[in-house]
Amino acid sequence: MKINSSSTGKEIENLALSIHELVSQLPLTMRTKESLGIRVEEGKIVDYAYTGPILEEVLKTGNTSREVPDGGPYSGIPVVVVPLKENNEVIAAIGIVDITKGLFSDMVEISRRPEGITEKNQITKGEFY
């Protein structure tokens, strides 16, 4: 598979679907710099001519963005969008929509705590028991 800055939604479909599966089917958006892209939900492509404000921003800046869009189909829902670069040039942007509204990120942070929960200096089984 060869992806470049003008690859179409159809050409990036397999990569997007693979990433969508890796993130437990969280909604995914992806587009290249010169072509509209795709929107994936529940294992299916729901749009082959998609773009969004955060995808556009990442294509321009080349920086990862963690924001809550104020428009579009994911308005009010946290997204993480990363640039895909080749030879230090942004060729595409890929975004994951956190439909858990931050719960997933919070759980990851909680699980990374280096110390156990203590009760009277006794280590307990942890905070989820």
Coordinates of all heavy atoms in Angstrom, one line a residue, residues 86-126:
E86 N 5.8 12.1 5.9 CA 6.8 11.4 5.1 C 7.9 12.4 4.7 O 7.5 13.5 4.2 CB 6.2 10.8 3.8 CG 7.2 10.0 3.0 CD 6.5 9.3 1.8 OE1 5.8 10.0 1.0 OE2 6.6 8.1 1.8
N87 N 9.1 12.1 5.0 CA 10.2 13.1 4.8 C 9.9 14.4 5.4 O 10.1 15.5 4.8 CB 10.5 13.2 3.3 CG 11.0 11.9 2.7 OD1 11.7 11.1 3.3 ND2 10.5 11.7 1.5
N88 N 9.4 14.4 6.7 CA 9.1 15.6 7.4 C 8.0 16.5 6.8 O 7.8 17.6 7.2 CB 10.3 16.5 7.7 CG 11.3 15.8 8.7 OD1 10.8 15.2 9.6 ND2 12.5 16.0 8.5
E89 N 7.3 16.0 5.8 CA 6.1 16.7 5.2 C 4.9 16.0 5.6 O 4.7 14.7 5.5 CB 6.3 16.7 3.7 CG 5.2 17.5 3.0 CD 5.3 17.4 1.5 OE1 6.4 17.4 1.0 OE2 4.2 17.5 0.8
V90 N 3.9 16.7 6.1 CA 2.6 16.2 6.4 C 1.9 15.7 5.2 O 1.7 16.5 4.2 CB 1.7 17.2 7.2 CG1 0.3 16.6 7.5 CG2 2.4 17.6 8.5
I91 N 1.5 14.4 5.1 CA 0.8 13.9 4.0 C -0.7 13.6 4.3 O -1.5 13.5 3.4 CB 1.5 12.7 3.3 CG1 1.6 11.5 4.2 CG2 2.8 13.2 2.8 CD1 2.0 10.2 3.5
A92 N -1.0 13.4 5.6 CA -2.3 13.0 6.0 C -2.5 13.3 7.5 O -1.6 13.6 8.2 CB -2.5 11.5 5.7
A93 N -3.8 13.2 7.9 CA -4.1 13.3 9.3 C -5.1 12.2 9.7 O -6.0 11.9 8.9 CB -4.7 14.7 9.6
I94 N -4.9 11.7 10.9 CA -5.8 10.6 11.3 C -6.3 11.0 12.7 O -5.5 11.4 13.6 CB -5.0 9.3 11.5 CG1 -4.2 8.9 10.2 CG2 -5.9 8.1 11.9 CD1 -3.2 7.8 10.3
G95 N -7.6 10.8 12.9 CA -8.2 11.2 14.1 C -9.1 10.1 14.7 O -9.7 9.3 14.0
I96 N -9.0 10.0 16.0 CA -9.9 9.1 16.8 C -10.8 9.9 17.6 O -10.4 10.9 18.3 CB -9.0 8.2 17.8 CG1 -8.0 7.4 17.0 CG2 -9.9 7.3 18.6 CD1 -8.7 6.3 16.0
V97 N -12.1 9.5 17.6 CA -13.1 10.2 18.4 C -13.4 9.5 19.7 O -13.7 8.3 19.7 CB -14.4 10.3 17.6 CG1 -15.5 11.1 18.3 CG2 -14.1 11.0 16.2
D98 N -13.1 10.1 20.8 CA -13.3 9.5 22.1 C -14.7 9.5 22.6 O -15.1 10.4 23.4 CB -12.3 10.1 23.1 CG -12.3 9.3 24.4 OD1 -13.0 8.3 24.6 OD2 -11.6 9.8 25.3
I99 N -15.5 8.6 22.1 CA -17.0 8.6 22.4 C -17.2 8.3 23.9 O -18.3 8.5 24.3 CB -17.8 7.7 21.5 CG1 -17.2 6.3 21.6 CG2 -17.8 8.2 20.1 CD1 -18.1 5.3 20.8
T100 N -16.1 7.9 24.6 CA -16.3 7.7 26.0 C -16.2 9.0 26.8 O -16.3 9.1 28.0 CB -15.2 6.8 26.6 OG1 -13.9 7.4 26.5 CG2 -15.2 5.4 25.8
K101 N -16.0 10.1 26.0 CA -15.9 11.5 26.5 C -14.8 11.6 27.6 O -15.0 12.2 28.6 CB -17.2 12.0 27.0 CG -18.2 12.1 25.9 CD -19.3 13.0 26.3 CE -20.3 13.0 25.1 NZ -21.1 14.1 25.0
G102 N -13.6 11.0 27.3 CA -12.5 11.1 28.2 C -12.4 9.9 29.2 O -11.3 9.8 29.8
L103 N -13.4 9.1 29.4 CA -13.3 8.0 30.3 C -12.1 7.1 30.0 O -11.4 6.6 30.9 CB -14.6 7.2 30.3 CG -14.7 6.1 31.3 CD1 -14.6 6.6 32.7 CD2 -16.0 5.3 31.1
F104 N -11.9 6.8 28.7 CA -10.8 5.9 28.3 C -9.5 6.5 28.7 O -8.7 5.8 29.3 CB -10.9 5.6 26.8 CG -9.8 4.7 26.3 CD1 -9.9 3.4 26.5 CD2 -8.7 5.2 25.6 CE1 -8.9 2.5 26.0 CE2 -7.7 4.4 25.2 CZ -7.8 3.0 25.4
S105 N -9.3 7.7 28.5 CA -8.0 8.4 28.8 C -7.8 8.4 30.3 O -6.7 8.2 30.8 CB -8.0 9.8 28.3 OG -8.1 9.8 26.9
D106 N -8.9 8.7 31.1 CA -8.8 8.7 32.5 C -8.5 7.3 33.1 O -7.6 7.2 34.0 CB -10.2 9.1 33.1 CG -10.5 10.6 32.9 OD1 -9.6 11.3 32.5 OD2 -11.7 10.9 33.1
M107 N -9.0 6.2 32.5 CA -8.7 4.9 33.0 C -7.2 4.5 32.7 O -6.6 3.9 33.5 CB -9.6 3.9 32.3 CG -11.1 4.0 32.7 SD -11.4 3.8 34.4 CE -11.1 2.1 34.6
V108 N -6.7 5.0 31.6 CA -5.3 4.7 31.3 C -4.4 5.4 32.3 O -3.5 4.8 32.8 CB -4.9 5.2 29.8 CG1 -3.4 5.2 29.6 CG2 -5.6 4.3 28.8
E109 N -4.7 6.7 32.6 CA -4.0 7.4 33.7 C -4.1 6.7 35.0 O -3.1 6.6 35.7 CB -4.4 8.8 33.8 CG -4.0 9.7 32.6 CD -2.4 9.7 32.5 OE1 -1.7 9.9 33.5 OE2 -2.0 9.5 31.4
I110 N -5.2 6.3 35.4 CA -5.4 5.6 36.7 C -4.6 4.3 36.8 O -3.9 4.1 37.8 CB -6.9 5.3 37.0 CG1 -7.6 6.6 37.3 CG2 -7.1 4.3 38.1 CD1 -9.2 6.5 37.3
S111 N -4.6 3.6 35.7 CA -3.8 2.3 35.7 C -2.3 2.5 35.7 O -1.6 1.6 36.0 CB -4.2 1.5 34.4 OG -3.7 2.1 33.3
R112 N -1.8 3.7 35.4 CA -0.4 4.0 35.4 C 0.1 4.5 36.7 O 1.3 4.8 36.8 CB -0.1 5.0 34.3 CG -0.2 4.5 32.9 CD 0.2 5.5 31.9 NE 0.1 5.0 30.6 CZ 0.1 5.7 29.5 NH1 0.2 7.0 29.6 NH2 0.0 5.1 28.3
R113 N -0.7 4.6 37.7 CA -0.2 5.0 39.0 C 0.8 4.1 39.6 O 0.6 2.9 39.6 CB -1.4 5.1 40.0 CG -2.3 6.3 39.7 CD -3.4 6.4 40.8 NE -4.3 7.5 40.4 CZ -5.5 7.6 40.9 NH1 -5.9 6.8 41.8 NH2 -6.2 8.7 40.5
P114 N 2.0 4.6 40.0 CA 3.0 3.7 40.4 C 2.8 3.0 41.7 O 3.3 1.9 42.0 CB 4.3 4.6 40.5 CG 3.7 6.0 40.7 CD 2.4 6.0 40.0
E115 N 2.0 3.6 42.6 CA 1.8 3.0 43.9 C 0.4 2.4 44.0 O -0.5 2.8 43.4 CB 2.0 4.1 45.0 CG 0.9 5.1 45.1 CD 1.0 6.2 44.0 OE1 2.0 6.4 43.4 OE2 -0.1 6.8 43.8
G116 N 0.3 1.4 44.9 CA -1.0 0.8 45.2 C -1.8 1.7 46.1 O -1.2 2.6 46.7
I117 N -3.0 1.5 46.3 CA -3.9 2.2 47.2 C -3.6 1.6 48.6 O -3.7 0.4 48.7 CB -5.4 2.1 46.8 CG1 -5.6 2.5 45.4 CG2 -6.2 2.8 47.8 CD1 -5.2 4.0 45.1
T118 N -3.4 2.4 49.5 CA -3.1 1.9 50.9 C -4.2 2.2 51.9 O -4.9 3.2 51.7 CB -1.7 2.5 51.4 OG1 -1.9 3.9 51.6 CG2 -0.6 2.1 50.6
E119 N -4.4 1.3 52.8 CA -5.3 1.5 53.8 C -4.6 1.1 55.1 O -4.3 0.0 55.3 CB -6.5 0.6 53.6 CG -7.7 0.8 54.5 CD -8.9 0.0 54.2 OE1 -9.4 0.2 53.1 OE2 -9.3 -0.9 55.0
K120 N -4.3 2.2 55.9 CA -3.6 2.0 57.2 C -2.2 1.3 56.9 O -1.9 0.3 57.5 CB -4.4 1.2 58.2 CG -5.6 1.9 58.7 CD -6.3 1.2 59.8 CE -7.5 1.9 60.2 NZ -8.2 1.2 61.3
N121 N -1.5 1.8 55.9 CA -0.2 1.3 55.4 C -0.3 -0.1 54.9 O 0.8 -0.8 54.9 CB 0.8 1.4 56.6 CG 1.0 2.9 56.9 OD1 0.9 3.7 56.1 ND2 1.3 3.1 58.2
Q122 N -1.4 -0.7 54.6 CA -1.5 -2.0 54.0 C -1.9 -1.8 52.6 O -2.8 -1.1 52.2 CB -2.7 -2.8 54.7 CG -2.5 -3.0 56.2 CD -1.6 -4.2 56.5 OE1 -1.5 -5.1 55.7 NE2 -0.9 -4.2 57.6
I123 N -1.2 -2.5 51.7 CA -1.5 -2.5 50.3 C -2.8 -3.3 50.1 O -2.9 -4.4 50.5 CB -0.4 -3.1 49.4 CG1 0.9 -2.3 49.6 CG2 -0.8 -3.1 47.9 CD1 0.9 -0.9 49.1
T124 N -3.8 -2.7 49.4 CA -5.0 -3.4 49.1 C -4.9 -3.9 47.7 O -3.9 -3.8 47.0 CB -6.2 -2.4 49.2 OG1 -6.1 -1.4 48.2 CG2 -6.3 -1.8 50.6
K125 N -6.0 -4.6 47.3 CA -6.0 -5.1 45.9 C -6.0 -4.1 44.8 O -5.8 -4.4 43.7 CB -7.2 -6.1 45.8 CG -7.1 -7.3 46.6 CD -8.3 -8.2 46.4 CE -8.3 -9.4 47.2 NZ -9.4 -10.3 47.0
G126 N -6.3 -2.9 45.1 CA -6.4 -1.8 44.1 C -7.8 -1.2 44.2 O -8.7 -1.6 44.9

